[in-house]
Amino acid sequence: MAGNIRFKPAYFYWIFADRIARLISGYWGVVFVILGFLKKYKLKDFIFVLSFVVASLGYLVVIARGNVQHDYYQILIIPSLAMLMGLGASSLLKPFENYNKIVAYLVFVVCFGFAMFFGWYYVRDYFNINNPSIIVAGAAVDKLTPKNAKVIANYNGDTSFLYQTKRSGWASYEKPLPEMIQMGADYLVIANPVASDLNFGKTYKIVAHTSQYIIFNLRQKS
């Protein structure tokens, strides 16, 4: 595996401490995950829950480098974590005989509240758009291109720009432009264009050009 990070200390830190404990669980949500493990199950239910856990761990091990590099790779383990959290939370809301009900409810409220607070604290910046031009450019693409068009919205691999276009396509120049056209690319949109970006206009037709964006039709020559 490229990078050879599987089972290294950094692997466990990024996957289990940073992503699962901090980013997904907001630290305090881990309490629910642990209680979900400790909960008593019937054999059939235990096998069902265990199958999700084993599948998720297997995914984290097999796709090790991708999971370390990108936080969105953990989307596939969210169902397993959500199930364990729900089962753990239910054990507090319906406490065993040796639990004090008031304490159990209090633990639930505290853990749930802090998990939501710290979870939001760490992900809130994900909802900030620091480059308003990608919104304007995305709206222009949506207005000026066919709904089934495939678009190159280069944003160094960040799909935020491509999302604004409401089109499928690419978030970076994965290959030379002629090869991407062969792959199906129909339009190229650039936010905050600089003078060098206009060079594409020598080959491809400019659909629209403002200070905030420029759109090229890759299927028509200039």
Side-chain angles (χ1 to χ4, degrees):
M1 180 193 68
N4 194 30
I5 197 171
R6 186 184 289 117
F7 300 138
K8 296 292 181 64
Y11 168 81
F12 289 101
Y13 166 76
W14 283 108
I15 299 298
F16 296 98
D18 185 75
R19 303 285 171 63
I20 293 179
R22 179 184 70 87
L23 198 58
I24 298 175
S25 304
Y27 294 124
W28 289 74
V30 173
V31 173
F32 296 138
V33 175
I34 293 173
L35 290 175
F37 274 115
L38 297 178
K39 184 180 174 68
K40 291 183 179 180
Y41 298 99
K42 295 179 181 179
L43 179 60
K44 181 176 67 174
D45 296 334
F46 175 73
I47 293 174
F48 177 77
V49 172
L50 185 63
S51 67
F52 274 78
V53 174
V54 172
S56 296
L57 290 175
Y59 167 72
L60 293 173
V61 171
V62 173
I63 316 295
R65 185 167 182 253
N67 274 289
V68 169
Q69 284 187 317
H70 308 292
D71 52 20
Y72 56 83
Y73 269 54
Q74 288 86 65
I75 290 174
L76 295 181
I77 69 171
I78 295 296
S80 299
L81 290 172
M83 180 174 61
L84 286 172
M85 286 184 182
L87 291 168
S90 70
S91 70
L92 288 174
L93 295 175
K94 296 179 180 179
F96 299 111
E97 292 182 0
N98 58 337
Y99 278 24
N100 183 301
K101 277 191 174 183
I102 296 178
V103 174
Y105 291 158
L106 182 61
V107 170
F108 171 82
V109 171
V110 170
C111 290
F112 181 80
F114 277 130
M116 293 296 101
F117 172 79
F118 287 116
W120 173 248
Y121 179 83
Y122 286 112
V123 305
R124 57 183 176 173
D125 288 336
Y126 290 3
F127 298 90
N128 294 334
I129 297 179
N130 300 316
N131 185 358
S133 293
I134 69 173
I135 300 178
V136 178
V141 170
D142 188 35
K143 179 181 179 180
L144 299 173
T145 67
K147 298 297 182 182
N148 61 348
K150 292 187 177 181
V151 176
I152 302 172
N154 180 39
Y155 208 44
N156 298 320
D158 188 331
T159 56
S160 300
F161 187 13
L162 182 62
Y163 173 80
Q164 298 296 330
T165 68
K166 299 181 181 178
R167 300 291 187 273
S168 60
W170 299 264
S172 65
Y173 299 118
E174 295 181 4
K175 294 183 178 181
L177 197 53
E179 292 186 36
M180 296 191 72
I181 294 174
Q182 291 181 355
M183 294 167 59
D186 299 307
Y187 292 87
L188 167 65
V189 56
I190 299 173
N192 301 312
V194 296
S196 60
D197 293 325
L198 294 175
N199 291 332
F200 288 113
K202 297 177 181 178
T203 306
Y204 306 105
K205 180 180 178 180
I206 297 177
V207 177
H209 179 205
T210 72
S211 61
Q212 291 184 294
Y213 64 85
I214 185 169
I215 302 172
F216 300 94
N217 186 332
L218 301 178
R219 300 295 173 176
Q220 294 184 13
K221 299 296 183 178
S222 60

